[in-house]
Amino acid sequence: MREAGKVLGELHERLKELVVPGVSTYEIDMKCREMIKGYGCEPNFLDYQGYPSSVCVSVNEEVVHGIPKKDRFLNEGDIVSLDTGVIYKGYHSDAARTWPVGQVDEEAIRLMEVTREAFFEGIRYAVDGGHLFDIGKAIQMYVEKNGFSVVRDLVGHGIGTHLHEAPEIPNFKPIGRGIRIQKGMTFAIEPMVNEGLYGVENTGDGWTFVTCDGKRSAHYENTILITDGEPEILSLNI
Ligand code: MF3
Ligand code: CO
């Protein structure tokens, strides 16, 4: 999983370079597939429950699971979330980043920053002996303090020999404390943060989620490993 994560962290840095005005979301998918193959890995999203691409490309009011298309082009001023993952020797990684397309407005920058920072607030509680729902509680508090809202209908998850494993990891505080976190567990923590209301809805394609109020959304995700001390962020190379 360390290797799958390392590849993915680097892959995201390379995908970032493709985010320019005029590029089609399909081109990003094609290049992403090639890069994953180049690492000797497999794309885990492709054919997952029929999903047609190696990467989810979600623009502006699209929250997650946007499907790349030949006739969908990125425009200056958009924000775009890229969510992808790889399999290395049977082990999965999963991570998302939200990037600006060219110059974007101040509010968009703040939305992307708060989303990323919310992830780091959350993983302070991703410690051996901790309670699972404290992660989402911290994420929600940070996001709401900054005037945005967290998506409730979609959650983070365990990850390992499958992309999605138990437990579900909400980005908000449910009733109760959740399971006790133990070292050796591997999670995908993935705050999805809306500029306006927290509600999302599915579109006609059966995959793409959009905000119910049409305002923008950002996504930031990493695969992490619970240790004796601070969690290890497997899909972020610093
Ligand atoms: N990272 C995404 C998630 O955890 C995975 C999407 S699966 C796909 O929800 F099929 F939509 F690609
Ligand atoms: Co995920």
Side-chain angles (χ1 to χ4, degrees):
M1 287 190 73
R2 282 200 179 96
E3 191 58 31
K6 187 163 175 266
V7 164
L8 184 55
E10 192 178 303
L11 175 66
H12 266 298
E13 292 307 308
R14 293 171 69 194
L15 290 175
K16 179 187 180 182
E17 302 303 316
L18 304 177
V19 174
V20 291
V23 73
S24 74
T25 57
Y26 177 83
E27 188 176 333
I28 294 174
D29 177 33
M30 287 302 124
K31 296 217 166 121
C32 182
R33 290 184 200 202
E34 274 174 36
M35 289 180 205
I36 292 173
K37 290 277 170 205
Y39 287 111
C41 294
E42 297 294 326
N44 47 7
F45 289 17
L46 186 62
D47 295 329
Y48 179 82
Q49 293 178 6
Y51 187 76
S53 308
S54 68
V55 53
C56 299
V57 183
S58 309
V59 185
N60 296 334
E61 78 286 357
E62 294 172 349
V63 180
V64 286
H65 303 172
I67 301 175
K69 291 197 184 59
K70 283 182 180 169
D71 61 356
R72 179 76 196 262
F73 303 95
L74 299 183
N75 293 312
E76 177 97 22
D78 287 343
I79 59 169
V80 61
S81 304
L82 303 181
D83 185 359
T84 184
V86 308
I87 310 171
Y88 179 75
K89 294 189 179 173
Y91 287 91
H92 290 248
S93 59
D94 182 7
R97 309 277 185 262
T98 303
W99 304 117
V101 184
Q103 287 284 110
V104 303
D105 60 83
E106 283 298 317
E107 183 76 343
I109 291 171
R110 211 170 63 82
L111 177 66
M112 292 186 288
E113 279 178 0
V114 166
T115 307
R116 183 176 173 282
E117 288 160 4
F119 165 86
F120 287 96
E121 288 295 316
I123 66 163
R124 291 171 56 202
Y125 298 88
V127 293
D128 184 70
H131 287 283
L132 191 70
F133 293 167
D134 284 343
I135 297 173
K137 181 182 172 186
I139 290 172
Q140 179 178 19
M141 277 172 53
Y142 186 75
V143 167
E144 292 180 355
K145 192 176 77 186
N146 282 281
F148 297 129
S149 62
V150 287
V151 173
R152 315 275 173 99
D153 290 353
L154 299 150
V155 294
H157 48 93
I159 180 170
T161 52
H162 299 273
L163 173 57
H164 292 139
E165 297 183 0
E168 289 193 349
I169 308 175
N171 297 301
F172 58 94
K173 172 70 175 73
I175 310 273
R177 298 191 294 185
I179 61 158
R180 215 178 252 285
I181 299 167
Q182 290 176 34
K183 66 180 170 190
M185 288 180 168
T186 42
F187 296 154
I189 309 286
E190 50 180 315
M192 288 151 269
V193 176
N194 292 355
E195 211 177 356
L197 303 171
Y198 69 76
V200 298
E201 55 195 43
N202 210 256
T203 58
D205 68 15
W207 280 103
T208 315
F209 282 89
V210 293
T211 57
C212 60
D213 60 7
K215 293 189 180 176
R216 294 172 294 190
S217 187
H219 186 199
Y220 185 85
E221 174 183 29
N222 280 304
T223 299
I224 69 165
L225 167 67
I226 306 302
T227 70
D228 276 327
E230 289 192 9
E232 205 175 309
I233 307 176
L234 304 182
S235 54
L236 187 66
N237 319 325
I238 348 174

